Amino acid sequence: MAKVIMTADDSTSIRQMVSFTLNQAGYDVIEAEDGLDAADKLAGIHVDMLLTDLNMPNKNGLELIEWVRSMPRFKFMPIIMLTTEAETEMKQKGKAAGATGWIVKPFKPEQLLALVKRILR
Amino acid sequence: MNESNRFIEEFCHEAEELLSGVEDAVLDIEENPGDQEAVNRLFRAMHTIKGSGSMFGFDAIAEFSHHVETAMDKVRNGTVPVTKTLIDLILVSRDRITAMLAEANGDGPPADPREGEKIIASLKALLSSHGAAAPDENPPKETPEQASEPAKPVQQNQAVYRIRFSPDPDIFFTGMDPVILLYDLADMGECSVVAQTEKVPDLENLSPESCYLFWDIILTTAKRINAVKDVFVFVEDKCKIDIKTVEEEVITSEQMPGPRLGDILVERGDIDRKTLDKQFGTRKKIGERLVESGALSKEKIKSALNEQTVVSKMHKSAAASTVRVPSDRLDKLINLVGELVINQARLTQVASNREDTDLGESVEEIERLTGELRDSVLNIRMMPIGTTFNKFRRLVRDLSSQLNKEIELVTHGAETELDKTVLERLDDPLIHLIRNSLDHGVEPPGLRELKGKPAKGTIILSARHKGTNVVITIQDDGAGLNVDTIRQKAVEKGLIPENAELSDKKIFAQIFAPGFSTAKEVTSISGRGVGMDVVKRTIESLRGRIDIDSVPGEGTKITLILPLTLAIINGLLVSIDDDFFVLPLMSVEECVEIKSKEIEMINGRNILNVRGDMVPYIRLRDRFHMGNRRPEKEHIVITDVNDSRIGFVVDHVIGGHQTVIKPLGPAFKNIKDISGATILGDGTVALILDTNVLLESA
Amino acid sequence: MSVQGIIRTSQYLTFKLDNEIYAMDITTVREVLDIIPITKVPQMPDFMCGVINLRGGVVPVVDLRLKFGLKKATSLKETCIVIIEVILDDEQTILGILVDSVLEVISLDPEQIDPPPRIGTRLKTEFIRGMGKKDTEFIIILETTKVFSAQELAIVQAADDMPVPETSEGANAEEEKNE
């Protein structure tokens, strides 16, 4: 069965690129446009991995990670942050909140795919 | 290519929306300078434009918005107040980005770069006047480890690293499975891993959600130490990771003895010199004595022994001297060892029925020695694949000039060893596959440039070990396979029904069908009658499998998975009545228990519903006419052969079995479903099933 | 009357099958085993009754009764496996032969051996090297190279899955099929 990955990002173009890349590789992708939307959608479905932006309206990435980690059924789920190089501090906070790792924007689709495949192997 | 166009369009559209949002936010702030929410909106808009811009190649826009974002960040945390100057600057910036976007889209005049520089300078001046540091001229570019390109084809020296990886007990709560990292290391080269269990507490104190294990890894790889460190980048702050270079391959002039076990242990800090010295003087091996005296755990010693083996091997390969032996003598030796393994298994079984500790201990020792003997004897036949790879360099050079193509052959893992017999029989299939890539895969330079690819095509030939298998891949960056063409051809040839709903992979698999060839014209290079079906048959006769993967426009990748040796395979032992059969474990996916009645009920056709997947099955009892005394519960072994799942119904699944293959001989030359036999520990003969053949008849 | 080709005194291993005595040239015989478990190999004619483990080697076993169109033995009390060496497909091959009981090793002079009768046996004539005579009993001396040829053994079970009995009729049918 195809693994399900959620991408939470307020940028439509990035979300689409992530979706398209992962779909091509056979993953099922669920898009969320901000942290709140992600939390809403996560409530009802099974997800194998979360890719989240850090700066988002309504509930930012850090809050989303903390919330997800507090849910028993997601306590071991891999969470990858999409960060920009300037956000070293945010990266640390994200790790402290329970993120598994990160990928630095800009990234190429194949880099994203390599990371996802590696973590979900 | 159209896809990325779509994203670019989407980005422009998104950016325009964000920019009009900027205008609103600015007006809100002007009205109410304390409107934190509007400031946040502004920051996020700039942040998104920067992030997405860089993703889709708008580097100038990304760079410019980075400065505005930094300014907004300072406003957000209160370092810089909202002033008329600031608001003007933001509005100018906004217009500037709009102009840059229009330019990038080709529907605007080129934006004057000097204007941009002026705005940035003003922003910086504003920030520094408020004591906030100006944004970095060039934000330090982090190199994410994912960005590391596949290793360059440069022949690098191998190095041996000793790694101790002690994960944080809470590592699972970060969503990271430490085993992933071990796999990553294993992908880098030859890797031996020993799990250290000394920190595992008693059962009553054990939390199932904590990680108590730590690992000692000896990795031999051509990669640099930074690449090894990069594997751990996600966990380095919480976990203890110790990476040391043990040995770099230098060609030593004289044969040098490998390091001594004791020295390795002291160097690792597992033991001090004094304790070690105490142990000398008796006759037993130092490792055994240390374990017996309780000074060190078995695992610690094992890990150090691994290191010793790897390093000694390097020394040896540096000063390799060889003896030529006729191969029939080797065959004889391997046969004898095979028999020894069988008899030893029998001995172990007999010994386990008697409760005699003395006997048990010596049998255990014999078991260990036999295993070692088997491994080293099989090792004698192992040859690095590099010599085979080298033959192809010339082939690629000659053929590409003949075809007026520019193609570079890149090889990885030339040192990967496999059985000489396997290696010899791989020549033809590999030549065929490489020819195919050259001829049909990689496009002529002109066409490649049109498609935005480098004129020079690349074929990557790589080999690596994976468990007891060797994985060989042939990957090109050519045109890829055309699903529609293959499908049409397969329908024409009657290989698949016209309306068949097949995955791309299944359609690709059609090229292995006999007589299939999609080349529009037969050239001298490929298509001389030896088809992909021959390649597939050869691989299968080596008990291997072949997989195909292709992305249109990006290339094709063929993967061959082969057993290390032909003499011994990993099998799954099953039984029907009192007869035993072995299925090659390589193709086994899972085993499902099923009540006979259940099968009957679904039966109409022999198809079983496995968690929503329809899997056809063969009841071996029926196929082999073994009567009808079916047990209450039967088992289905689900295998994946050439990307088709198929189940085999048997009575019982007994378990994994190191199978020493015995040929059945000419008396059974016409038999199809059985590829050989093996002898079990109690002397019973079990038959090895040929899943490839069984699948075809399903 | 003697048989062409048999010019000197040879030793033969005699054994019983149903109520008749057969013999094989001793030089083809490697050893005689008591009956041991035989692993059935699917998709083979019934007379190929399976394989045994002979000191780590896998050896096919032919049930000579079934090969000769007789009924399967009812009692296995004295059943033996005669291990012989034959050439199959230019390859020296070890083969086990299931017989009712092994009798003795005898010497026969060429003049004690008559040519095979043209009629009156259930076997193909080419399977018989000659008819020996000891005391009052006839001994059927088998031509092992013919009985155990690749052609005779490597027959995959027919699709309808019925065992092909090797009666003289069946043998003829088989021959016709081969042409």
Side-chain angles (χ1 to χ4, degrees):
Chain A
M1 217 167 59
K3 300 252 181 175
V4 184
I5 301 172
M6 170 175 277
T7 165
D9 204 307
D10 54 337
S11 157
T12 332
S13 52
I14 294 205
R15 236 165 38 225
Q16 282 193 359
M17 183 269 224
V18 169
S19 281
F20 179 77
T21 308
L22 297 178
N23 268 329
Q24 286 288 90
Y27 296 101
D28 284 344
V29 183
I30 293 166
E31 295 185 23
E33 56 190 38
D34 57 46
L36 203 60
D37 187 29
D40 277 351
K41 285 178 175 158
L42 278 173
I45 45 166
H46 167 79
V47 168
D48 294 293
M49 184 179 198
L50 170 66
L51 300 171
T52 178
D53 188 20
L54 288 177
N55 274 292
M56 292 185 291
N58 294 325
K59 192 181 235 182
N60 71 29
L62 288 181
E63 292 165 320
L64 175 64
I65 295 171
E66 271 168 14
W67 180 84
V68 168
R69 272 286 177 259
S70 72
M71 305 272 291
R73 64 193 180 101
F74 292 130
K75 70 180 162 187
F76 301 135
M77 177 176 70
I79 302 176
I80 298 294
M81 307 176 270
L82 276 52
T83 72
T84 54
E85 71 273 16
E87 294 171 322
T88 327
E89 195 189 331
M90 286 290 267
K91 208 158 75 184
Q92 284 312 320
K93 283 186 188 161
K95 286 230 64 182
T100 312
W102 58 86
I103 184 165
V104 177
K105 285 187 266 188
F107 52 82
K108 294 200 192 105
E110 49 270 32
Q111 289 169 339
L112 174 71
L113 202 57
L115 177 65
V116 169
K117 277 189 175 158
R118 199 186 136 204
I119 300 292
L120 280 184
R121 93 152 107 197
Chain B
M1 155 162 169
N2 306 338
E3 277 311 322
S4 65
N5 269 349
R6 205 185 83 196
F7 296 135
I8 288 171
E9 220 168 82
E10 183 61 42
F11 165 72
C12 294
H13 184 69
E14 182 182 6
E16 275 161 29
E17 262 177 28
L18 287 166
L19 289 171
S20 78
V22 164
E23 208 149 59
D24 293 344
V26 168
L27 295 176
D28 285 350
I29 295 172
E30 206 164 28
E31 233 169 68
N32 174 13
D35 190 343
Q36 197 61 34
E37 197 270 328
V39 175
N40 269 333
R41 249 157 55 211
L42 261 181
F43 169 79
R44 270 201 311 274
M46 285 305 159
H47 180 80
T48 304
I49 291 174
K50 179 185 87 170
S52 314
S54 68
M55 290 285 299
F56 303 111
F58 298 92
D59 291 343
I61 295 179
E63 158 86 23
F64 181 81
S65 38
H66 170 70
H67 292 280
V68 190
E69 180 202 2
T70 314
M72 289 316 299
D73 192 35
K74 303 290 173 201
V75 178
R76 201 165 62 147
N77 61 29
T79 330
V80 173
V82 178
T83 56
K84 172 93 178 38
T85 332
L86 177 79
I87 285 177
D88 286 347
L89 268 174
I90 292 168
L91 285 175
V92 187
S93 304
R94 183 208 160 271
D95 296 343
R96 168 79 191 154
I97 296 173
T98 313
M100 287 167 96
L101 264 175
E103 182 201 351
N105 271 342
D107 42 293
D112 185 357
R114 274 172 305 176
E115 201 187 315
E117 280 158 29
K118 254 197 303 196
I119 300 173
I120 293 170
S122 313
L123 274 170
K124 280 184 188 165
L126 181 75
L127 293 191
S128 56
S129 72
H130 292 284
D136 289 338
E137 202 55 51
N138 289 310
K141 282 243 156 73
E142 230 176 276
T143 324
E145 85 286 359
Q146 302 87 2
S148 55
E149 299 291 326
K152 289 274 178 319
V154 190
Q155 188 62 47
Q156 276 177 337
N157 280 342
Q158 299 257 333
V160 179
Y161 300 103
R162 172 203 303 153
I163 304 160
R164 178 165 288 178
F165 169 41
S166 321
D168 180 37
D170 286 339
I171 187 166
F172 295 127
F173 293 104
T174 65
M176 177 56 87
D177 181 348
V179 172
I180 290 174
L181 304 174
L182 298 178
Y183 273 126
D184 288 344
L185 290 176
D187 286 346
M188 299 174 80
E190 199 178 319
C191 183
S192 76
V193 180
V194 176
Q196 303 286 1
T197 52
E198 61 188 48
K199 290 204 180 131
V200 180
D202 294 339
L203 196 55
E204 59 194 69
N205 297 319
L206 185 137
S207 149
E209 296 181 345
S210 295
C211 180
Y212 300 104
L213 295 175
F214 60 101
W215 286 273
D216 280 334
I217 301 128
I218 301 295
L219 174 68
T220 313
T221 174
K223 299 250 166 73
R224 297 272 155 240
I225 192 161
N226 279 337
V228 180
K229 283 183 178 158
D230 274 348
V231 167
F232 296 101
V233 71
F234 287 164
V235 297
E236 63 190 0
D237 41 357
K238 283 263 192 82
C239 302
K240 238 186 107 207
I241 296 136
D242 197 14
I243 305 176
K244 281 218 179 71
T245 311
V246 187
E247 187 82 18
E248 270 183 274
E249 192 169 48
V250 272
I251 304 302
T252 43
S253 51
E254 281 305 311
Q255 193 159 1
M256 207 166 80
R260 292 188 307 173
L261 182 63
D263 295 339
I264 293 176
L265 287 166
V266 172
E267 205 191 314
R268 287 166 168 233
D270 282 343
I271 193 171
D272 58 56
R273 183 60 75 179
K274 237 170 89 192
T275 324
L276 179 72
D277 287 346
K278 255 195 247 163
Q279 300 294 340
F280 282 107
T282 45
R283 273 185 150 189
K284 279 197 169 175
K285 282 187 179 168
I286 181 72
E288 288 169 23
R289 265 179 286 133
L290 286 168
V291 173
E292 270 169 28
S293 66
L296 278 173
S297 70
K298 239 186 196 166
E299 287 82 9
K300 284 259 167 71
I301 299 284
K302 189 169 169 211
S303 146
L305 274 171
N306 275 342
E307 178 174 335
Q308 192 185 27
T309 316
V310 171
V311 173
S312 303
K313 203 162 104 192
M314 251 185 170
H315 287 177
K316 269 183 217 139
S317 70
S321 71
T322 54
V323 181
R324 290 171 72 99
V325 178
S327 60
D328 57 340
R329 282 200 210 167
L330 270 186
D331 291 343
K332 172 109 205 240
L333 184 61
I334 284 172
N335 270 330
L336 285 172
V337 169
E339 281 179 38
L340 185 65
V341 168
I342 289 161
N343 275 295
Q344 173 266 312
R346 184 164 188 188
L347 183 63
T348 307
Q349 203 170 41
V350 172
S352 69
N353 292 338
R354 288 162 206 243
E355 288 176 16
D356 183 335
T357 357
D358 284 348
L359 179 66
E361 267 174 26
S362 64
V363 166
E364 216 170 273
E365 188 62 14
I366 289 181
E367 191 174 339
R368 189 183 63 79
L369 285 171
T370 315
E372 240 172 68
L373 182 64
R374 181 199 61 205
D375 290 349
S376 30
V377 166
L378 289 178
N379 238 327
I380 301 179
R381 292 174 63 100
M382 295 297 190
M383 306 257 293
I385 200 168
T387 37
T388 309
F389 278 6
N390 283 340
K391 282 188 231 163
F392 299 139
R393 272 179 207 294
R394 182 66 198 273
L395 178 85
V396 169
R397 215 197 64 190
D398 291 357
L399 289 185
S400 48
S401 68
Q402 201 180 323
L403 288 162
N404 290 323
K405 291 181 181 178
E406 288 173 42
I407 295 165
E408 184 184 14
L409 180 72
V410 177
T411 60
H412 299 304
E415 72 289 347
T416 310
E417 290 187 328
L418 68 171
D419 194 291
K420 189 168 178 289
T421 338
V422 180
L423 206 55
E424 279 163 359
R425 289 172 63 187
L426 267 182
D427 263 12
D428 285 346
L430 282 178
I431 287 178
H432 187 80
L433 292 172
I434 290 172
R435 277 188 167 145
N436 256 346
S437 283
L438 279 163
D439 199 12
H440 309 311
V442 179
E443 312 91 328
L447 187 58
R448 289 180 64 87
E449 275 170 344
L450 272 181
K451 289 182 174 177
K453 294 184 186 180
K456 194 175 205 172
T458 310
I459 295 177
I460 302 172
L461 188 57
S462 85
R464 68 193 165 92
H465 282 156
K466 193 175 176 192
T468 53
N469 295 326
V470 175
V471 180
I472 299 172
T473 58
I474 301 104
Q475 186 172 9
D476 65 57
D477 62 348
L481 294 174
N482 186 327
V483 183
D484 298 331
T485 319
I486 296 174
R487 192 194 174 91
Q488 198 189 332
K489 188 109 179 186
V491 171
E492 270 170 35
K493 303 233 165 195
L495 298 168
I496 52 171
E498 198 163 347
N499 50 0
E501 275 180 41
L502 293 174
S503 65
D504 284 1
K505 259 198 141 173
K506 281 246 172 74
I507 292 175
F508 293 152
Q510 297 302 321
I511 65 170
F512 295 121
F516 189 97
S517 161
T518 52
K520 285 193 193 86
E521 56 195 69
V522 174
T523 66
S524 66
I525 288 164
S526 52
R528 44 169 86 181
V530 195
M532 290 289 268
D533 56 322
V534 179
V535 171
K536 184 179 165 221
R537 268 210 305 269
T538 312
I539 300 303
E540 283 172 357
S541 73
L542 294 169
R543 296 175 200 281
R545 52 182 284 186
I546 185 164
D547 267 343
I548 189 159
D549 237 328
S550 182
V551 179
E554 285 177 22
T556 305
K557 178 174 166 186
I558 308 246
T559 308
L560 312 178
I561 303 167
L562 293 155
L564 276 180
T565 160
L566 290 180
I568 294 185
I569 59 164
N570 271 327
L572 182 72
L573 189 63
V574 301
S575 72
I576 301 170
D577 288 343
D578 296 328
D579 288 335
F580 294 94
F581 297 91
V582 174
L583 287 152
L585 201 56
M586 199 195 303
S587 54
V588 172
E589 274 197 343
E590 60 176 321
C591 302
V592 183
E593 185 188 280
I594 190 139
K595 293 203 178 78
S596 305
K597 285 187 192 127
E598 260 174 89
I599 296 191
E600 226 56 71
M601 268 151 50
I602 313 166
N603 207 348
R605 284 183 302 160
N606 287 349
I607 285 182
L608 179 77
N609 186 335
V610 181
R611 290 187 300 279
D613 252 4
M614 302 313 276
V615 180
Y617 67 83
I618 296 175
R619 177 177 278 112
L620 292 177
R621 171 185 286 284
D622 296 348
R623 183 166 180 91
F624 296 158
H625 309 288
M626 296 180 65
N628 218 5
R629 286 181 290 127
R630 274 151 52 182
E632 183 85 343
K633 278 178 189 160
E634 294 182 282
H635 290 80
I636 297 200
V637 180
I638 301 200
T639 61
D640 182 340
V641 183
N642 303 325
D643 221 38
S644 300
R645 295 175 91 200
I646 178 165
F648 296 104
V649 180
V650 299
D651 288 3
H652 300 285
V653 173
I654 291 152
H657 186 253
Q658 275 282 319
T659 309
V660 181
I661 298 168
K662 303 274 175 181
L664 277 177
F668 295 101
K669 68 169 181 185
N670 284 346
I671 200 160
K672 280 194 277 189
D673 296 352
I674 311 287
S675 65
T678 188
I679 292 169
L680 305 180
D682 64 356
T684 313
V685 180
L687 301 173
I688 302 167
L689 299 174
D690 190 330
T691 41
N692 286 314
V693 173
L694 281 164
L695 170 80
E696 273 162 28
S697 59
Chain C
M1 193 161 54
S2 65
V3 179
Q4 227 181 358
I6 302 181
I7 47 167
R8 70 172 72 103
T9 307
S10 303
Q11 287 193 306
Y12 298 89
L13 178 81
T14 60
F15 56 87
K16 238 179 162 167
L17 217 54
D18 221 5
N19 281 320
E20 288 184 279
I21 299 176
Y22 293 80
M24 265 187 283
D25 197 321
I26 196 78
T27 52
T28 58
V29 177
R30 283 213 353 192
E31 60 184 308
V32 178
L33 306 175
D34 286 332
I35 183 83
I36 52 168
I38 298 172
T39 302
K40 178 127 183 63
V41 177
Q43 296 169 326
M44 293 302 285
D46 267 8
F47 67 80
M48 287 298 286
C49 58
V51 287
I52 54 165
N53 166 13
L54 181 66
R55 285 186 293 281
V58 174
V59 172
V61 177
V62 175
D63 187 333
L64 211 52
R65 270 179 165 268
L66 299 179
K67 175 72 191 156
F68 288 166
L70 300 165
K71 283 211 185 71
K72 214 168 162 55
T74 42
S75 156
L76 296 177
K77 225 164 53 191
E78 287 179 81
T79 304
C80 288
I81 301 174
V82 181
I83 304 294
I84 62 166
E85 243 170 64
V86 289
I87 306 286
L88 285 182
D89 272 4
D90 298 330
E91 217 179 295
Q92 185 146 353
T93 307
I94 311 286
L95 213 58
I97 312 293
L98 210 58
V99 300
D100 285 1
S101 61
V102 168
L103 300 173
E104 57 181 337
V105 176
I106 57 166
S107 287
L108 289 176
D109 299 330
E111 52 270 27
Q112 284 176 280
I113 301 172
D114 289 341
R118 300 226 163 244
I119 44 165
T121 63
R122 54 169 70 244
L123 300 186
K124 286 190 199 174
T125 24
E126 58 164 16
F127 285 178
I128 304 175
R129 185 188 290 185
M131 300 297 286
K133 210 175 165 197
K134 179 120 195 290
D135 305 329
T136 54
E137 282 183 297
F138 281 104
I139 298 167
I140 304 166
I141 301 169
L142 294 175
E143 188 62 81
T144 42
T145 50
K146 289 286 190 315
V147 182
F148 307 110
S149 67
Q151 209 183 348
E152 286 294 333
L153 297 179
I155 309 163
V156 177
Q157 196 153 5
D160 65 1
D161 181 41
M162 288 298 289
V164 185
E166 199 73 14
T167 59
S168 49
E169 263 179 272
N172 287 337
E174 198 61 33
E175 269 169 4
E176 276 163 26
K177 239 190 266 174
N178 287 344
E179 277 161 18

